[in-house]
Amino acid sequence: MNIHEYQGKSILQAHGVQVQEGFVAETAEQAGLIAEELQKKFGTEIFVIKAQIHAGGRGKGGGVKIARSPMETAEVASRMLGMTLVTPQTGPAGKLVRKVLIAQDVYYKGDSDIREFYLSVLLDRKRSAFVVIYSTEGGMDIEEVAANKPKAIFTEVVDSTCCLHEFQMRTIASNLGLQGKAYREMVRFISGLWNAFVSSDASLMEINPLLKTSDDRVLAVDCKVSLDDNALYRHPELAAMRDLNEEDPTEVEASASNLNYVKLDGDVGCMVNGAGLAMATMDLIQLSGGRPANFLDVGGGASAKTVEAGFRIILKDPNVKAILVNIFGGIVRCDRVAAGIIEAYKTIGDIKVPVIVRLQGTNAIEAKELIDTSGLKVIAASTFTDAAEKVREALA
Ligand code: GDP
Ligand code: MN
């Protein structure tokens, strides 16, 4: 699950990590009041208004603006709220801005001693370890740095028997070229960030830019946080940060029906039980000349109801030209799945796309009987190659 910048910053702050101070606003009026508050509390003179959407590159798209008074802050916020922000990461459709973060300017004016770094903690699946990736070249796309200046990117691999060691934090601060107070602040920052990362079961915390101010403070100007969905049950306060507005509506509906659904941009919908079989089925579709329209794992305990919900979700996608149902009955009984398919045909009405069904395993014979006697125009397949062949025919 991804969260907003302002929410990520609140997690960091709870672990003593310094961030650019600010508060979130949903109206222009609130934005103005927050600016007044920052002025009173910190003597802030320059304010930053930042669109809160689940996508980066906001700076480039006009989602980060400066104002010089609370009144101007309110004006800028009023223009930003309700706008559709297009950034290099949103795709051409952009994202509607519903919230803005009002923060204090931390790039003190006329200053030459400011430095922007990049630092992220993430799970490196290839190494089976957490890593800290960091760079002296912050504030820009890390992909760009990787392509043009790969030597400016460093990695510290976290000791999986323990933690990120303090000597590693010192290595990072030193590789970033810091000394004295800034060096100590950086070590403290990384230590707090690591604690925040571990205690929130995050899979990514990316700080870009990580700023060293002119007076040698070290703080997060931006932060991108992804939390591990499977650990959210341990953190109700983090689970509550979910913003459904930022998620694909079909995926939200699927998760409400306990389906693992990921939308893709192909033309063959698929419904499978088990993630491994689902991956193999997507390969199968590709081999038969089609492209998968989705990943859908109905899970081990699929009932007729889940199958019906799965059909509804697949059929919402106008690109779908055929559907392949590939179920291996273990705990799932094939006759239940068949009943779900028949039910879906009845309740959804006219299903126009060809449906290829392969049901094997527990109660496969009963399932076949159910489908044969239902009178539905379902194409039965017995083996993987047979299914691939029938998908190919259906697409022809
Ligand atoms: P992103 O573009 O979505 O990654 O958003 P960021 O939070 O990283 O902000 C983009 C850019 O806006 C940063 O790289 C900074 O250059 C600029 N920016 C952010 N905060 C401030 C600030 O307090 N003052 C000034 N002058 N610029 C800022
Ligand atoms: Mn950024």
Side-chain angles (χ1 to χ4, degrees), residues 20 48 50 56-59 64 66 105-107 116 208-209 221-222:
Q20 176 188 32
V48 192
K50 305 180 80 179
R58 293 164 303 167
V64 179
I66 302 282
D105 172 40
V106 282
Y107 291 60
E116 286 182 320
N208 188 28
V221 169
D222 189 10

Side-chain angles (χ1 to χ4, degrees), residues 22-39:
F23 298 95
V24 74
E26 289 180 41
T27 65
E29 196 194 347
Q30 280 173 3
L33 290 173
I34 290 168
E36 279 175 20
E37 198 61 31
L38 290 172
Q39 203 168 40

Side-chain angles (χ1 to χ4, degrees), residues 311 315 320-323 345 350-356 377:
F311 258 97
L315 286 165
V320 168
K321 293 204 189 74
I323 297 178
Y345 265 85
D350 205 9
I351 296 182
K352 291 208 176 63
V353 299
V355 178
I356 299 108
K377 280 204 210 76

Side-chain angles (χ1 to χ4, degrees), residues 141-308:
D141 265 351
I142 195 66
E143 288 80 6
E144 224 173 287
V145 182
N148 302 328
K149 228 178 150 184
K151 287 217 172 90
I153 298 182
F154 304 87
T155 306
E156 263 325 298
V157 180
V158 177
D159 173 359
S160 52
T161 63
C162 167
C163 51
L164 183 67
H165 294 294
E166 210 171 309
F167 76 84
Q168 296 181 294
M169 301 178 196
R170 289 195 292 266
T171 304
I172 297 171
S174 146
N175 280 340
L176 290 175
L178 299 174
Q179 282 138 12
K181 182 186 169 212
Y183 175 95
R184 290 190 299 276
E185 286 252 331
M186 181 59 83
V187 171
R188 213 159 61 103
F189 184 98
I190 299 165
S191 164
L193 181 67
W194 172 250
N195 286 337
F197 180 86
V198 173
S199 29
S200 54
D201 285 311
S203 48
L204 169 74
M205 281 192 174
E206 181 183 64
I207 315 296
N208 188 28
L210 164 56
L211 191 73
K212 182 200 89 67
T213 65
S214 50
D215 46 357
D216 283 349
R217 290 162 62 214
V218 169
L219 47 87
V221 169
D222 189 10
C223 96
K224 178 179 174 181
V225 172
S226 300
L227 301 169
D228 181 350
D229 290 346
N230 293 318
L232 278 178
Y233 75 97
R234 306 207 291 196
H235 310 283
E237 75 292 353
L238 301 182
M241 291 181 174
R242 186 167 178 194
D243 185 347
L244 295 179
N245 287 323
E246 296 287 332
E247 296 179 21
D248 181 277
T250 324
E251 290 183 12
V252 172
E253 186 186 333
S255 79
S257 302
N258 275 326
L259 295 167
N260 270 314
Y261 171 88
V262 180
K263 173 145 176 31
L264 301 168
D265 49 13
D267 49 9
V268 182
C270 51
M271 176 160 16
V272 191
N273 65 322
L277 187 58
M279 300 297 270
T281 304
M282 286 159 62
D283 284 348
L284 177 80
I285 290 169
Q286 200 88 36
L287 286 174
S288 66
R291 287 196 309 134
N294 64 276
F295 168 95
L296 175 59
D297 171 12
V298 294
S303 66
K305 262 211 145 37
T306 10
V307 170
E308 192 197 325

